[in-house]
Amino acid sequence: MDKKLVVGNWKMNLLREEAREFSGTIADLLGEDYDACQVVLVPPYTALEVVGSRISGSTIDLGAQNVFGETSGAFTGEVSAPMLADAGCKWVIVGHSERRHILGETDEQIREKISISISCGLKAILCVGETEAQREEAIRRSEDVLTRKKLLFSPIKTQIESALDSLDQKQVSDIVIAYEPVWAIGTGKNATSLEIAEIHQYIRELLAEIFPGLGNNVRILYGGSVKTGNIVEIMSVEEVDGVLVGGASLSADSFFRIINSVGG
Ligand code: PEP
């Protein structure tokens, strides 16, 4: 298994100068040789270049928040995987719940994005997670353990199986899964250790089925209102190999403290 991973998703925040300054602060705080965990900064497209140049020479990687499912052509407003690689990205987030639920991204589009990203040399962070209604429905059926589990795991199974469908076994090392319960993203509500453990364990089993012998090497991140106050507990959960951080990655102090908690 590779190092633990901390991914800071800035979403649609920070102008270029702010992004340059902020990424510089994180790079300086960590120092050039930081290697206790892998840190990835994921600014908006407009700030990729300034952040990339500010973190060059550090061990921090650059990532993008989205990608289009074709490599080039008449797709006004879209950005392709080769363009991201050319801009210095090593990583791309695919299937974030804000894209699935606000922008209507489908499992099929997500499969194309994963496939093209990996074939262009990017590492993909595939986000999956259930909605509040899906979790509540599973809880309502909790008198029957098997039904409860089936309902709870079903959206995650569909999202992962569909997204990874076109990958071959060799490509498994370029995939990271981020379990992000939709109801916990940007809401301040985070999943309990037990809730996280149950889903991460399920994802681990599913990955072992899809990639026999290799699924254990795929990192599984947790995301959803991760902050300094809950990072230690989250990282103590078995099968949590790092975190995807939204809001708390926009403060140098809290993001640095989260990185240090993960790096140990
Ligand atoms: C995210 O952006 O993936 C996320 C988990 O956001 P937040 O940490 O703000 O909930």
Side-chain angles (χ1 to χ4, degrees), residues 9 11 96 98 180 184-187 223-226 244-248:
N9 173 20
K11 311 194 186 193
H96 191 280
E98 286 151 14
E180 300 210 301
I185 298 176
T187 58
S225 300
V226 172
L244 175 47
V245 188

Side-chain angles (χ1 to χ4, degrees), residues 78-98:
E78 296 296 340
V79 174
S80 72
M83 289 170 179
L84 295 179
D86 184 49
C89 292
K90 286 204 176 133
W91 297 83
V92 61
I93 296 176
V94 178
H96 191 280
S97 76
E98 286 151 14

